[in-house]
Amino acid sequence: MSDCVEVAITSDSSDQLWSCCAWDVRTGTHLISYKGGGAPGARTLGVINNQFIITGNMVKPMLHIWPINRHEAVSTRFILSGRPTAVTVSPDGNYCLVAVHEIIYVYQLATGAMLANVSRHYQAVTVIRFTDDGSHFISAGMDGMVLVWSLAQVIRIYQKQTINALYSFSDHALPVTDLFIGKGGMKALFCTASIDRACKIYDLSSGSMLLNLVFQDALSSVIIDGLESNVFVGTSNGPIYGFNILAAPRTKDYHVDRKQQQKNSFLGHKKEVTCLSVSIDSDTLLSGAADENVIIWHIKSRQQLRVIPHKGTITNAHFILAPKAMFNQEIKINAFFPPFQKLVLPAEKTVDLCVEVGVSEKKPHKKQKYLEHSGTGGNRFSVTTTNQEVVKLKKENHHLKMVNKEMYEFIVKNIMKES
């Protein structure tokens, strides 16, 4: 399996065999299963630094984390204030966002600290996504609202003043079922799908809607391929429809008729399509549905390559890059995740968050303390030093400045003589 680049991570609502499972998409072979975490809820499965799997329980107020090469979850119990309705992890693996009904909680995974919570939705949040640079996240809910947040702003100004979303979209008339963010940070495109049959595509940098696609069926999931040339939407009655963004119509609002839908349709599911994912090469589509099947499609021909049956409604299905550690259980992945705190950490104490990190330097088991500071681009670590070391560094800095000054004066003097 060393040549396997991408694998599929799936979960269903049955909790009969495992909580979630990894599959080889080329052969449909079962690779590794993750047990003991209950059935994950829809859109509550994520990957931390390609080393850990995290899921939110469908019925209990809990999260579960597994090392990517272990069947058993870590022993830490991550207790929440309620059943999670959406979970996501920042690309750098530092922050975890958990939605409990209409409230979004911001946790720091390394310390378990709750850095903030925001409540601007009127009904339950259905999906949360990070931009690929981790600087912003987008939430959507049953109230039809789509909100764009700055992560740094949410953490810094919490408890000091009212937190406002960077953008607030209320274009959907019914609950938003899914959203997807493309590549490019704040210059990316993102799209939403709703029960109101509309798929809307936005420009994140300007906060403007570029295209409103209206289909003939209620939409339950959405994805854009890696080339950002095609959008795929899953429907409540089974078919998956594709639309070429590069051949977009002249009008902002476009109604896709039945003929056009059938021309670019993927037919195979019999019930609601709950999740979609596209491979890195944009050649393969992965879909999961309430008919208890995961189907792997060839996008260009729209043909089924493989069907992977499950025991319940598919709640999550994603392509991920498979690390080598997944296929070697002898590799020990250290899992240091403290329990989540129940109360928000005061803003003035966030700079005091401290994490111990083992560092092998000459002595194999030497440990040094690192102070962790929250920032927009993740965590920065600085080694704590003694007063003697500070004095020594100041003297060395002063000596280097004097040497630099002497060299500068020598060069200027010689240049003036030559001229």
Side-chain angles (χ1 to χ4, degrees):
M1 287 306 302
S2 59
D3 60 338
C4 185
V5 178
E6 277 186 296
V7 298
I9 300 290
T10 66
S11 67
D12 60 42
S13 60
S14 68
D15 189 28
Q16 292 185 21
L17 303 177
W18 24 256
S19 294
C20 53
C21 185
W23 306 85
D24 182 354
V25 295
R26 301 170 303 177
T27 62
T29 306
H30 165 271
L31 299 176
I32 185 171
S33 57
Y34 306 95
K35 303 177 180 179
R43 297 177 179 85
T44 63
L45 188 149
V47 181
I48 307 173
N49 285 338
N50 228 27
Q51 293 183 320
F52 301 93
I53 303 293
I54 184 171
T55 64
N57 198 290
M58 178 180 284
V59 295
K60 299 179 181 178
M62 296 180 65
L63 296 181
H64 303 275
I65 296 179
W66 294 264
I68 204 155
N69 61 347
R70 291 284 186 274
H71 298 285
E72 302 80 17
V74 299
S75 57
T76 306
R77 292 174 63 87
F78 303 94
I79 307 298
L80 307 172
S81 60
R83 181 183 65 84
T85 57
V87 176
T88 189
V89 177
S90 61
D92 56 13
N94 290 325
Y95 302 100
C96 179
L97 304 182
V98 181
V100 177
H101 300 296
E102 71 278 1
I103 303 175
I104 301 172
Y105 296 91
V106 182
Y107 294 100
Q108 191 174 49
L109 287 170
T111 62
M114 185 195 298
L115 301 180
N117 61 57
V118 291
S119 178
R120 292 294 175 271
H121 286 278
Y122 301 105
Q123 296 183 46
V125 176
T126 54
V127 57
I128 313 173
R129 305 284 189 212
F130 266 104
T131 56
D132 62 348
D133 60 0
S135 62
H136 293 74
F137 64 92
I138 304 177
S139 62
M142 298 289 290
D143 55 2
M145 297 286 293
V146 178
L147 305 178
V148 181
W149 305 89
S150 167
L151 178 63
Q153 187 180 23
V154 167
I155 294 174
R156 288 174 181 173
I157 70 173
Y158 182 74
Q159 292 183 336
K160 294 184 179 180
Q161 62 187 52
T162 303
I163 304 173
N164 294 317
L166 185 64
Y167 299 121
S168 177
F169 304 101
S170 56
D171 302 313
H172 287 291
L174 293 173
V176 178
T177 52
D178 198 7
L179 71 86
F180 175 80
I181 307 174
K183 302 295 184 182
M186 279 301 289
K187 294 183 179 179
L189 298 178
F190 79 93
C191 60
T192 60
S194 171
I195 299 175
D196 64 5
R197 303 180 299 150
C199 172
K200 301 180 188 294
I201 300 175
Y202 297 88
D203 177 24
L204 195 51
S205 61
S206 63
S208 58
M209 185 172 65
L210 302 178
L211 185 61
N212 177 31
L213 299 172
V214 181
F215 292 84
Q216 302 297 316
D217 305 300
L219 305 182
S220 55
S221 53
V222 66
I223 194 78
I224 297 178
D225 64 9
L227 301 174
E228 295 190 347
S229 58
N230 293 283
V231 59
F232 303 97
V233 294
T235 61
S236 59
N237 55 1
I240 301 169
Y241 302 124
F243 187 87
N244 189 349
I245 305 175
L246 301 182
R250 295 179 181 272
T251 59
K252 182 181 289 188
D253 297 309
Y254 184 73
H255 291 257
V256 184
D257 57 30
R258 289 281 181 192
K259 249 184 211 182
Q260 192 170 358
Q261 281 186 180
Q262 293 172 358
K263 183 181 178 182
N264 299 308
S265 62
F266 298 77
L267 302 177
H269 288 297
K270 304 301 181 184
K271 295 183 180 179
E272 177 183 346
V273 178
T274 55
C275 40
L276 293 171
S277 183
V278 176
S279 61
I280 291 179
D281 59 6
S282 298
D283 196 43
T284 309
L285 177 68
L286 181 72
S287 64
D291 59 6
E292 304 180 1
N293 288 324
V294 170
I295 299 181
I296 302 165
W297 307 82
H298 183 248
I299 291 178
K300 291 181 180 178
S301 64
R302 299 190 297 279
Q303 296 299 310
Q304 296 182 22
L305 300 178
R306 194 163 303 280
V307 178
I308 304 176
H310 287 60
K311 298 293 184 179
T313 298
I314 310 302
T315 53
N316 298 277
H318 303 292
F319 279 115
I320 68 165
L321 288 175
K324 290 184 178 179
M326 176 180 283
F327 313 111
N328 187 356
Q329 295 192 359
E330 294 180 0
I331 298 176
K332 187 176 180 181
I333 302 176
N334 295 323
F336 178 71
F337 294 107
F340 287 165
Q341 296 177 6
K342 296 181 180 179
L343 299 176
V344 177
L345 190 72
E348 59 271 11
K349 291 188 178 181
T350 56
V351 295
D352 298 328
L353 293 175
C354 185
V355 181
E356 286 192 359
V357 180
V359 178
S360 57
E361 186 179 332
K362 294 183 181 179
K363 296 180 181 180
H365 299 293
K366 185 177 178 181
K367 282 190 178 181
Q368 294 180 337
K369 243 182 189 180
Y370 289 82
L371 290 178
E372 183 181 26
H373 301 279
S374 299
T376 56
N379 296 333
R380 296 176 297 170
F381 297 94
S382 58
V383 182
T384 58
T385 56
T386 62
N387 291 333
Q388 293 180 351
E389 291 174 338
V390 171
V391 172
K392 184 179 178 181
L393 290 171
K394 285 184 177 180
K395 286 183 179 179
E396 186 176 353
N397 187 33
H398 178 72
H399 174 69
L400 292 173
K401 285 183 178 179
M402 294 302 296
V403 172
N404 188 39
K405 181 181 178 183
E406 290 175 3
M407 291 176 62
Y408 175 75
E409 290 177 350
F410 175 79
I411 292 172
V412 170
K413 190 183 293 184
N414 281 274
I415 290 176
M416 294 298 290
K417 283 183 180 179
E418 291 179 2
S419 59

